[in-house]
Amino acid sequence: MDQTALEGQLFGDPQSATAQVQKQLTWSVAYDAQAEPSADHLLIGTSGADDRPFVMAKVQTLTEAQRNQASLDSLRNAIGLPVAVPDDTRKQMETSAEYPFKNFELLDDQVLPPQDGVRGVRSVFNFRLANGVQTFDETSYLSADGSRISTLLIRCSAACYQQRAEEIGQIVQSFKVTRLLNQ
């Protein structure tokens, strides 16, 4: 996976000051199971029976302002997708022709049991995109000291997700964040 292309998907224009700061505060890695991997598959995937999972892990160091606003909803939105937003805001976004994420559907949302001061959420949701319904499985943890959010995102078409539900579940269950010894 081309790291520069992945960072472009995550942070936008690499020349912007905001993107530069976010890049310094974030570690990310991705795996695309497509025959021809592309960072573009993070959000859109391919259409039809050829769609395969895209998996991304991201660890973001929070700024002081972000730490002060950290909540379970900020964990739900950690990847940048609008999961926890007010209904009127969602309706307003979805009426825009340029906005690609339509027909949000929350399939599952769990607050994960705290462990060693680490809090987390797992949200599974659908969006209709230009190439059909995509299922996103996002698990995010806030470190015990509130300084980092660690996120695992798996994206696949709805049909792909249903076919691979057991495999995806095993991957999600293996994603753990533990307290660092020097905290």
Side-chain angles (χ1 to χ4, degrees):
M1 175 69 51
D2 179 2
Q3 188 67 27
T4 302
L6 177 63
E7 290 169 356
Q9 289 288 326
L10 291 174
F11 311 127
D13 179 7
Q15 302 305 316
S16 79
T18 301
Q20 292 295 322
V21 169
Q22 286 301 314
K23 185 178 172 183
Q24 291 175 357
L25 296 173
T26 305
W27 172 88
S28 61
V29 66
Y31 172 77
D32 184 0
Q34 297 290 16
E36 293 184 31
S38 170
D40 292 340
H41 297 152
L42 170 63
L43 299 177
I44 60 171
T46 61
S47 57
D50 288 339
D51 190 39
R52 296 201 172 111
F54 188 102
V55 180
M56 187 194 71
K58 175 178 124 173
V59 179
Q60 178 184 0
T61 300
L62 301 177
T63 64
E64 187 175 336
Q66 290 168 326
R67 275 187 234 158
N68 291 335
Q69 295 178 359
S71 68
L72 295 177
D73 280 347
S74 63
L75 293 177
R76 289 177 178 98
N77 296 333
I79 224 65
L81 295 170
V83 177
V85 296
D87 288 340
D88 58 335
T89 301
R90 183 175 311 286
K91 286 178 187 174
Q92 190 175 29
M93 289 186 302
E94 288 190 11
T95 58
S96 168
E98 296 85 36
Y99 184 73
F101 304 103
K102 308 289 186 186
N103 303 99
F104 174 78
E105 180 181 23
L106 184 63
L107 305 174
D108 191 26
D109 187 68
Q110 304 170 29
V111 175
L112 303 173
Q115 259 185 310
D116 294 326
V118 175
R119 300 182 307 152
V121 295
R122 179 181 180 196
S123 300
V124 181
F125 50 94
N126 286 340
F127 276 114
R128 177 171 292 286
L129 300 170
N131 63 337
V133 176
Q134 299 294 311
T135 301
F136 297 85
D137 191 323
E138 180 180 22
T139 302
S140 295
Y141 291 100
L142 179 65
S143 63
D145 67 357
S147 68
R148 284 177 307 285
I149 293 178
S150 301
T151 303
L152 175 71
L153 177 74
I154 301 173
R155 191 245 7 106
C156 205
S157 69
C160 167
Y161 190 86
Q162 289 172 356
Q163 290 170 349
R164 296 174 172 255
E166 187 176 323
E167 177 185 6
I168 290 170
Q170 290 174 352
I171 293 167
V172 170
Q173 292 301 314
S174 72
F175 181 60
K176 303 290 182 215
V177 175
T178 58
R179 178 181 236 166
L180 296 174
L181 295 176
N182 63 353
Q183 285 186 350

